[in-house]
Amino acid sequence: MRIFKKVLKILLITLIVLTTFTGIIYYKSVNYTTYSLKPDKSKFEKMVSKEDFDKLAKELVAQMSLEEKIDQMYGEKMLHSVPKFLINAIAKRRFAHIYAGRNERLNIPPWVLSDGPRGARVMDKKINTVTTFPVAMARGASWDVDLERKVNEIIAIEMRANGANYAATPCVNLLRHPGWGRAQETYGEDPWVLGKMGVAAVKAIQSHNVMACPKHFALNSIENSRWVINVDVDDRTLREVYLPHFKKIVQESKTASLMSAYNFVRGDQCGANKELLTDILRDEWGFEGFVSTDWVYGIYDGVEAVKAGLDVEMPWQDEYNYDTIDEAIKSGEISEKDIDEIVIRILRTRLAYAFAEDKMEYNQDLIAKPSHIDLAREVAEKSMVLLKNQNVLPFKKSRNKKIAVIGRLADLPNTGDQGSSNSTPPYVITPYQGIKSLNKTLGNEVILNDGSDIEQAKKIAQEVDEVVLVVGYTHEDEGEYIILSRDKMMESAKAKKLVGEKGMGGDRTSLKLLPEDEILIKSLTPLNKNTVVTYVGGSAIDMSNWQDEVPAILFSWYAGMEGGNALANILYGNVNPSGKLPFSIAVNEEDYPYFNPYIDNITYEYYHGYTLFDKKNKPVAYPFGFGLSYTTFDYSDLSIVNPELTAKDSIQVKVDIKNTGLMAGEEVTQLYIGFKNSNIDRPVKLLRGFDKIYLTPNEEKTVEFSLPAEELSFYNPDTRQWEIEKMDYEIYLGSSSRKEDLLTDTFKVR
Ligand code: BGC
């Protein structure tokens, strides 16, 4: 009995100690200390010019011990940071602040990363919502560069209001194959679109003294093997297809930072890839900022990473640890000067941002304020793509109607990926809610049905005036691939197929909709001629099983917090659709480049997307740049102002566009250059300009393009130079990449 009591007592004490200990960790984690990201300016001389920050960075480094220097080269130390991060993520569904590089002794403030492709991710402890925009792919489909600027300004403002000053966005990896799980985070398949959107995003972010960190540098277009895959690529493909948009972002928007990709390129991991990080990025492009790794598996060898020119390991100190670096310095493999250079690069950039005067005060009242939410709706409206419309849309705004909104996704708040691009809005308007609220003012009845009972759904479809079928995906089907084990990823990659449980998100191995969606479409469409299929997702799908049977198809994407209202506005003609596909949709899945999410090596070829289909003369289901409107636009009088030019000039092109229909609307006009006369293997045509214009009925406008001839160049791997061929080029100008939609003419470069 006494022994029993003793054991009980020990158990009780252990329990109390453990509970107290866990309680303290929990309490400290959710109430973690926050720090100002601004310096105490009274401790420094007046800092204004680039030279001032260069000097300051050098002076600070000269005062630092090796340990202090290394402390600038990672996010936080694991011991306290991992529990903080996990407890906040799990218990509070909140992305905690990781304070990188704070040095109290030298008065150096920290910097804090926030993800943000569709809204700020790091959230202040008092606030737990932000404005959630449509995903980047939707914004790519808007082809509206100025809109992208506005979106990113707001994302940056809300980041600042949440105590972050480093934006892990935009994602500008190229959509090589539609199955890529993170397609929704980028802007599409075309390097030109990626570059234009990326530059606009970075400039907007940085205008609020948030350092932009475009990602993932580079060739990160497969998700499920991202930690292990090596991408082989030849020089022309690398320079002309996978890097031009990164180069534009570096040179035109002077991005403060870049995030290295997880994958390997030509044998070296991107975080330790000297060719990418030093030879190309710094030596050729003149990048002056700093590079941080993608999170957790960003580098596997600290010394190799230092040698390659990688600056910051995120989010925790692992490979950039004191022992590894100290030993490598002592053995002469690297020198302390290498470390100094890294720290100077980091400090001169981040201090310039920290010291800069803000143009406004970033208080928390700004978060998700009405004008931000209005923009979220406008973006959703401007990005939806109408692919097919056999006299169904717009639905009439008449009274006494019955409308059915049917499908698993009809009333699901569904803003996309729930990995790093997740964002937490105060509310989400679902398709059903949006359609219901618009019809309420008309006194119409809106019926919701989840489609799980097909017979019941069929009955409803027969009885109503209009049917909106909401099909597509959620974060379960596509998005960031959430598994924690790299070994598991390696196992699948070695086996070239999935080994074990799939996990959440990731790549799509089939481009078809889920069987239940296809069944729903096929069973209901014949029953009601006013049926619209609305697709929710982030990339191309294979519609071959059903597209001919449905009268209308609308790509509505993951449309953000106001998506349902935007959808209703499009369906009922309050807004004229103006989005166009930022990718091509093939007739057969096999027509795309080879894609397998479970491999450890792949070659990215020169052709993909419309350049591939053009080259092989393969018909597509829906061309790149295609999208319908409720009005019609007429293109005429294509003229080339200077049909003969030198390689130093810009080609000037004009075209007239007239709204020949009955409704005002926006048109995305596209300029392609053709290379028929080239002596080398070149694409049939490449996008080299686009513009979105608004025209009222009967209105006509002249659209002008000016394109520097250097944008016609190709990369010569022998000379390692960009070269412009002196020959005749074609101009194609029109409403999509499809031949029938383009006016054409030629010009000569002498
Ligand atoms: C993603 C990055 C993201 C980072 C931080 C990684 O898993 O690949 O895109 O910025 O997490 O959340």
Side-chain angles (χ1 to χ4, degrees), residues 124-408:
D124 187 87
K125 285 176 286 174
K126 293 187 258 358
I127 308 270
N128 52 9
T129 58
V130 291
T131 309
T132 299
F133 290 96
V135 292
M137 187 62 85
R139 283 142 39 203
S142 79
W143 295 67
D144 193 329
V145 177
D146 194 49
L147 200 62
E148 189 56 10
R149 172 189 66 75
K150 290 183 190 158
V151 167
N152 280 279
E153 275 218 29
I154 288 178
I155 291 174
I157 288 171
E158 297 197 4
M159 279 180 185
R160 288 294 306 276
N162 274 309
N165 66 348
Y166 183 92
T169 188
C171 170
V172 288
N173 292 120
L174 177 142
L175 183 70
R176 173 183 171 273
H177 185 282
W180 179 36
R182 295 181 73 175
Q184 61 185 276
E185 290 183 52
T186 192
Y187 300 111
E189 73 175 36
D190 183 74
W192 188 266
V193 175
L194 289 169
K196 291 284 171 202
M197 291 297 201
V199 166
V202 169
K203 282 186 177 167
I205 291 167
Q206 299 196 156
S207 73
H208 289 277
N209 295 327
V210 173
M211 295 174 277
C213 172
K215 61 193 185 184
H216 310 82
F217 190 61
L219 298 101
N220 179 178
S221 299
I222 295 186
E223 180 64 4
N224 291 15
S225 46
R226 60 183 173 160
W227 293 328
V228 299
I229 194 165
N230 174 54
V231 180
D232 274 327
V233 66
D234 63 49
D235 282 335
R236 280 194 65 200
T237 309
L238 180 70
R239 305 301 187 121
E240 293 180 31
V241 185
Y242 288 90
L243 294 188
H245 35 291
F246 280 106
K247 182 178 176 186
K248 278 218 163 70
I249 288 170
V250 166
Q251 297 187 333
E252 287 177 29
S253 58
K254 301 266 175 277
T255 185
S257 189
L258 278 181
M259 183 183 288
S260 62
Y262 286 124
N263 51 281
F264 295 67
V265 169
R266 295 169 160 179
D268 289 325
Q269 198 192 9
C270 288
N273 192 311
K274 181 171 169 293
E275 183 184 23
L276 286 177
L277 300 185
T278 299
D279 304 348
I280 296 181
L281 182 61
R282 295 202 170 91
D283 296 351
E284 279 185 36
W285 299 352
F287 174 68
E288 292 183 341
F290 65 97
V291 179
S292 69
T293 64
D294 201 343
W295 282 32
V296 182
Y297 289 125
I299 44 172
Y300 303 119
D301 182 330
V303 179
E304 288 308 315
V306 168
K307 288 203 246 170
L310 185 272
D311 303 303
V312 181
E313 177 179 31
M314 286 297 279
W316 299 306
Q317 181 179 36
D318 189 9
E319 304 300 332
Y320 272 1
N321 62 64
Y322 311 115
D323 290 347
T324 306
I325 291 179
D326 193 33
E327 268 166 37
I329 291 175
K330 285 192 179 123
S331 73
E333 215 181 331
I334 54 175
S335 70
E336 189 156 348
K337 199 165 153 274
D338 296 329
I339 301 298
D340 289 355
E341 272 173 24
I342 289 179
V343 182
I344 290 167
R345 283 200 294 257
I346 301 169
L347 283 175
R348 71 174 177 213
T349 306
R350 71 184 196 80
L351 290 180
Y353 277 82
F355 272 83
E357 288 300 331
D358 289 332
K359 56 183 176 194
M360 58 193 279
E361 203 193 308
Y362 298 96
N363 63 54
Q364 296 186 338
D365 300 341
L366 295 170
I367 296 173
K369 71 175 199 173
S371 61
H372 296 188
I373 292 177
D374 286 349
L375 185 70
R377 186 174 53 257
E378 183 186 341
V379 175
E381 290 166 350
K382 290 190 167 169
S383 64
M384 293 189 186
V385 182
L386 183 62
L387 282 187
K388 184 172 180 185
N389 186 18
Q390 289 174 335
N391 294 324
V392 180
L393 293 176
F395 288 145
K396 293 200 178 45
K397 276 188 279 179
S398 44
R399 294 174 181 275
N400 302 321
K401 283 200 295 187
K402 269 191 180 178
I403 297 123
V405 188
I406 303 178
R408 293 171 296 121

Side-chain angles (χ1 to χ4, degrees), residues 645-715:
L645 58 146
T646 72
K648 293 208 166 61
D649 299 330
S650 288
I651 171 91
Q652 319 278 343
V653 186
K654 285 186 188 175
V655 74
D656 291 340
I657 307 175
K658 185 172 180 182
N659 183 342
T660 47
L662 298 175
M663 192 170 173
E666 287 187 284
E667 163 69 342
V668 177
T669 176
Q670 299 152 49
L671 168 84
Y672 297 84
I673 302 290
F675 305 90
K676 223 189 264 168
N677 298 306
S678 173
N679 284 327
I680 56 164
D681 179 29
R682 298 199 71 177
V684 173
K685 63 178 184 298
L686 285 173
L687 184 78
R688 282 296 177 265
F690 60 91
D691 200 2
K692 193 166 188 174
I693 53 160
Y694 176 81
L695 292 169
T696 53
N698 270 321
E699 192 185 1
E700 184 168 39
K701 274 185 192 158
T702 303
V703 176
E704 299 183 23
F705 291 95
S706 172
L707 179 77
E710 66 182 274
E711 297 290 2
L712 312 175
S713 56
F714 73 99
Y715 184 79

